[in-house]
């Protein structure tokens, strides 16, 4: 452990980080993200109307400098990944082979990086932007491949994202190291990036820079609220408390309540960084996503979360739909939908979640988290359908005297269903994870993974099929 004396004799950032109660890596990350605001203003106002090459040079230089500021010579690992993908697409881009090679190389490169550089805790090193870059490079190979397929075989989404021209070296480096999404995401399609470089993503028809200050400051303000919560409240719910004797000696209900709050505050840091980074993207103009029905500009292309919808969510499905939006969209677009040939949505979902687990790292905690998420979402969907279609349950849930009880119960359950898997996501090692789950008798695993699937496949699904059959028979009887 680093002593106080060693900290005081370290560099300025190291010393300052220690004084404000954080570490140097986190401080460098925060500085880098906030630096995106003046950089975005310069890009928007001073480079507007210049050539794409000029913008690529500026973005590449700044992005590499930010990377070096955070990760030093390890920046070379990220640059090598971009270089490899450029060569791959230059040689065989647009073919099925390029997609397979890209997928295997980028995911393999990431997993090997985890194996070499990962520790037993959450790491703030170059593998963080690398995991974001991994998805970005895979998407480029897919979209280029789609661009070489017959148009009639493409979905409307694929048509809007595909392209035929392989990216140049400067372009792919710029695309990889754009400072708005370099360190924390979100995912952003290359075709839209090209539109931005060509000055097509504007909220006006006069050709002037977009008026992005107000929407950017609105998102930044929300992000700063989460940032303040991160500083003031989150330290009160540390993961380390879960493996203490004090937690073990507390009551069962208290343990569940703490897991609820722990889970909620654990994801606060992700929300914070997503919102602040989204503000950078909006300010630069790259987040422009067209206009709504009223003709107002939308700035949602780089959204990582919908704060209001997330905070008011009363089900796991609603929470998932509003959280980590760009990654979930990427997963659906390039993994889940591409597995349609399997003919089974459950298998596609499991494979997608296993990919997501591997993308996060090699620790067993990630896999446990996402497998639990699969079963919890399945329960959430089926339980909601039961309360909708079974008359007695529907009547009880809709009774006006049950409204407040329903609100409290649903919110508690949603927080518990979110927090329970996150225990393993944060603690990572099974030796630690087991200490927590055994204190709550593995209640989540027993109910969601064992009891509910048995009840679901033995009772619920057959009942739904019977009801559908009866409905068809009634409809047929009416038509005769």
């Amino acid at each position: 452990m680093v002593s106080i004396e060693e900290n005081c004799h370290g560099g300025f950032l190291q010393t300052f980080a220690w004084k404000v109660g954080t570490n140097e890596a986190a401080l460098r990350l925060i500085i880098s993200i906030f630096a995106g605001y003046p950089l975005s203003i310069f890009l928007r106002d001073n480079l507007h109307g210049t050539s794409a090459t000029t913008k690529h040079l500026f973005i590449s230089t700044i992005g590499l400098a930010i990377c070096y500021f955070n990760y030093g010579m390890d920046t070379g690992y990220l640059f090598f990944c971009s270089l490899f993908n450029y060569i791959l697409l230059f040689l065989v881009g647009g073919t099925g082979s390029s997609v397979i090679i890209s997928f295997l190389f980028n995911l393999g490169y990431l997993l090997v990086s985890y194996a070499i550089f990962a520790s037993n805790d959450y790491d703030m090193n170059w593998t963080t932007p690398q995991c974001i870059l991994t998805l970005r490079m895979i998407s480029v190979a897919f979209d280029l491949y789609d661009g070489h397929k017959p148009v009639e075989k493409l979905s409307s989404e694929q048509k809007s994202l595909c392209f035929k021209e392989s990216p140049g070296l400067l372009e792919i480096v710029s695309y990889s190291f754009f400072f708005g999404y370099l360190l924390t995401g979100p995912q952003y399609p290359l075709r839209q990036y090209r539109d931005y470089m060509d000055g097509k993503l504007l909220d006006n028809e006069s050709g002037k820079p977009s008026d992005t200050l107000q929407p950017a400051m609105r998102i930044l303000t929300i992000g700063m609220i989460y940032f303040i919560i991160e500083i003031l409240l989150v330290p009160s719910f540390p993961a380390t408390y879960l493996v203490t004797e004090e937690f073990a000696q507390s009551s069962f209900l208290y343990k569940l309540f703490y897991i609820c709050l722990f889970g909620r505050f654990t994801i606060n840091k992700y929300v914070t960084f997503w919102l602040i980074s989204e503000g950078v993207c909006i300010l630069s103009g790259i987040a422009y996503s067209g206009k709504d029905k009223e003709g107002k500009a939308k700035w949602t292309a780089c959204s990582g979360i919908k704060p209001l919808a997330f905070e008011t969510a009363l089900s796991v499905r609603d929470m998932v739909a509003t959280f980590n939006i760009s990654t979930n969209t990427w997963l659906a677009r390039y993994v889940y939908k591409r597995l349609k040939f399997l003919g089974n949505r459950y298998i596609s979902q499991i494979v997608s979640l296993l990919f997501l687990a591997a993308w996060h790292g090699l620790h067993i905690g990630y896999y446990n988290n996402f497998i639990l998420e699969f079963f919890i979402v399945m329960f959430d969907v089926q339980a909601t359908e039961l309360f909708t279609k079974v008359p007695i349950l529907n009547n009880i849930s809709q009774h006006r005297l049950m409204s407040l009880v329903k609100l409290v119960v649903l919110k508690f359950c949603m927080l518990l269903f979110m927090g329970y898997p996150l225990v393993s996501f944060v603690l990572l090692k099974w030796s630690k994870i087991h200490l927590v789950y055994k204190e709550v008798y593995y209640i989540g695993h027993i109910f969601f993974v064992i009891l509910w699937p048995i009840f679901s496949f033995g009772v619920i699904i057959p009942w739904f099929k019977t009801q559908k059959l009866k409905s068809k028979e009634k409809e047929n009887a009416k038509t005769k």
Side-chain angles (χ1 to χ4, degrees):
M1 181 177 289
V2 180
S3 66
I4 294 177
E5 290 77 9
E6 288 174 312
N7 256 313
C8 290
H9 288 88
F12 169 75
L13 286 178
Q14 183 183 18
T15 303
F16 183 75
W18 172 76
K19 287 183 177 180
V20 297
T22 186
N23 58 65
E24 185 179 355
L27 181 60
R28 287 179 181 272
L29 176 63
I30 294 170
I31 292 173
S32 300
I33 293 176
F34 279 103
Y37 283 88
L39 289 170
S40 289
I41 293 176
F42 181 85
L43 176 62
R44 183 196 65 180
D45 295 344
N46 295 79
L47 297 185
H48 179 74
T50 62
S51 67
T53 300
T54 302
K55 296 173 186 174
H56 286 318
L57 283 170
F58 172 76
I59 292 170
S60 298
T61 303
I62 293 298
L64 287 168
I66 289 175
C67 242
Y68 186 81
F69 174 71
N70 283 272
Y71 313 113
M73 293 305 294
D74 287 345
T75 300
Y77 295 120
L78 294 158
F79 182 80
F80 171 77
C81 181
S82 295
L83 178 62
F84 179 91
N85 280 277
Y86 158 72
I87 295 172
L88 170 66
L89 298 179
F90 177 77
L91 295 176
V92 292
T95 65
S97 299
S98 68
V99 172
I100 295 173
I101 295 172
S102 174
F103 198 95
L104 294 178
F105 168 78
N106 286 291
L107 183 59
Y109 187 75
L110 180 65
L111 293 179
V112 171
S113 302
Y114 284 147
I116 296 174
F117 293 93
S119 66
N120 291 329
D121 298 305
Y122 182 80
D123 299 300
M124 295 190 69
N125 56 31
W126 71 273
T127 60
T128 300
Q130 179 60 47
C131 78
I132 299 169
L133 182 60
T134 295
L135 302 190
R136 195 170 299 131
M137 293 297 98
I138 291 174
S139 71
V140 173
F142 267 112
D143 292 340
L144 182 58
Y145 171 66
D146 289 339
H148 287 77
K149 291 169 62 177
V151 177
E152 60 271 13
K153 291 187 177 181
L154 300 178
S155 66
S156 57
E157 181 181 51
Q158 291 170 343
K159 290 177 185 177
S160 67
L161 298 174
C162 70
F163 52 87
K164 292 186 177 181
E165 183 182 349
S166 178
L169 179 58
L170 180 60
E171 180 183 33
I172 204 165
V173 172
S174 169
Y175 176 63
S176 300
F177 289 88
F178 179 71
F179 52 83
Y181 54 57
L182 168 64
L183 301 176
T184 60
Q187 296 303 320
Y188 195 83
L190 178 59
R191 181 163 172 176
Q192 289 180 233
Y193 189 74
R194 285 177 167 176
D195 288 342
Y196 175 68
M197 290 292 106
D198 292 336
K200 297 178 181 179
L201 299 184
L202 300 174
D203 64 346
N204 61 81
E205 297 179 359
S206 62
K208 297 180 180 179
S210 298
D211 184 10
T212 59
L213 184 60
Q214 184 176 347
M217 291 303 102
R218 182 171 61 250
I219 290 296
L220 174 61
T221 300
I222 299 173
M224 290 307 298
I225 292 173
Y226 279 94
F227 190 52
I228 293 171
I229 293 173
E230 180 72 18
I231 295 173
L232 299 180
L233 295 181
V234 173
S236 300
F237 301 92
T240 51
Y241 178 73
L242 291 166
V243 294
T244 63
E245 187 63 26
E246 183 180 348
F247 178 82
Q249 295 300 321
S250 58
S251 68
F252 179 73
L253 288 178
Y254 175 82
K255 292 171 185 174
L256 294 182
F257 185 68
Y258 186 87
I259 288 175
C260 288
L261 294 178
F262 156 77
R264 175 59 193 83
F265 286 115
T266 290
I267 61 177
N268 192 82
K269 63 183 176 183
Y270 300 105
V271 177
T272 300
F273 288 127
W274 290 339
L275 287 170
I276 297 175
S277 295
E278 182 182 351
V280 173
C281 292
I282 292 174
L283 191 59
S284 70
I286 200 172
Y288 180 70
S289 55
K291 296 184 178 181
D292 59 20
K293 295 180 180 179
E294 299 177 354
K296 295 181 179 179
K298 296 187 296 182
W299 304 97
T300 58
C302 296
S303 294
I305 187 169
K306 298 177 182 177
L308 181 59
F310 174 75
E311 296 297 347
T312 57
L314 295 178
S315 71
V316 178
R317 277 186 305 167
D318 293 339
M319 186 273 293
V320 171
T322 59
F323 180 81
N324 205 1
I325 297 171
S326 70
T327 301
N328 290 335
T329 300
W330 187 98
L331 190 68
R333 182 180 293 159
Y334 298 106
V335 181
Y336 179 77
K337 293 179 181 178
R338 307 277 175 164
L339 295 174
K340 189 177 180 180
F341 67 91
L342 295 175
N344 188 301
R345 63 187 179 92
Y346 289 118
I347 295 177
S348 298
Q349 287 174 358
I350 291 174
V351 173
S352 299
L353 289 173
L354 287 176
F355 170 84
L356 197 57
W359 177 65
H360 278 88
L362 300 174
H363 296 293
I364 193 172
Y366 294 130
Y367 297 85
N368 181 73
N369 173 84
F370 288 108
I371 290 299
L372 277 172
E373 181 180 314
F374 169 79
F375 285 102
I376 290 173
V377 171
M378 183 178 72
F379 162 80
D380 186 72
V381 172
Q382 293 180 343
T384 301
E385 195 170 0
L386 272 178
F387 273 90
T388 302
K389 294 186 176 181
V390 177
I392 187 172
L393 294 178
N394 186 53
N395 291 336
I396 293 174
S397 65
Q398 295 300 323
H399 197 283
R400 60 187 182 86
L401 295 178
M402 290 292 294
S403 57
L404 181 59
V405 175
K406 179 182 175 182
L407 178 65
V408 173
V409 170
L410 286 177
K411 194 64 179 180
F412 174 79
C413 288
M414 194 277 290
L415 290 174
L416 181 60
F417 297 167
M418 178 178 65
Y420 186 85
L422 282 173
V423 168
S424 60
F425 188 91
V426 175
L427 296 181
L428 299 177
K429 292 293 185 180
W430 193 255
S431 56
K432 295 180 180 179
I433 297 168
H434 170 67
L435 292 176
V436 183
Y437 285 149
K438 75 180 181 66
E439 293 299 331
V440 291
Y441 311 108
Y442 278 88
I443 184 173
H445 291 78
I446 293 173
F447 180 77
F448 294 116
V449 182
I450 301 175
L451 296 181
W452 185 261
I454 293 174
F455 181 65
S456 174
F457 288 100
V459 178
I460 297 177
I461 294 179
W463 185 82
F464 282 147
K465 289 181 178 180
T466 301
Q467 295 303 308
K468 288 181 180 179
L469 184 61
K470 288 181 179 179
S471 297
K472 286 184 178 180
E473 290 176 350
K474 288 181 179 179
E475 289 178 3
N476 292 333
K478 289 180 180 179
T479 56
K480 289 182 180 180

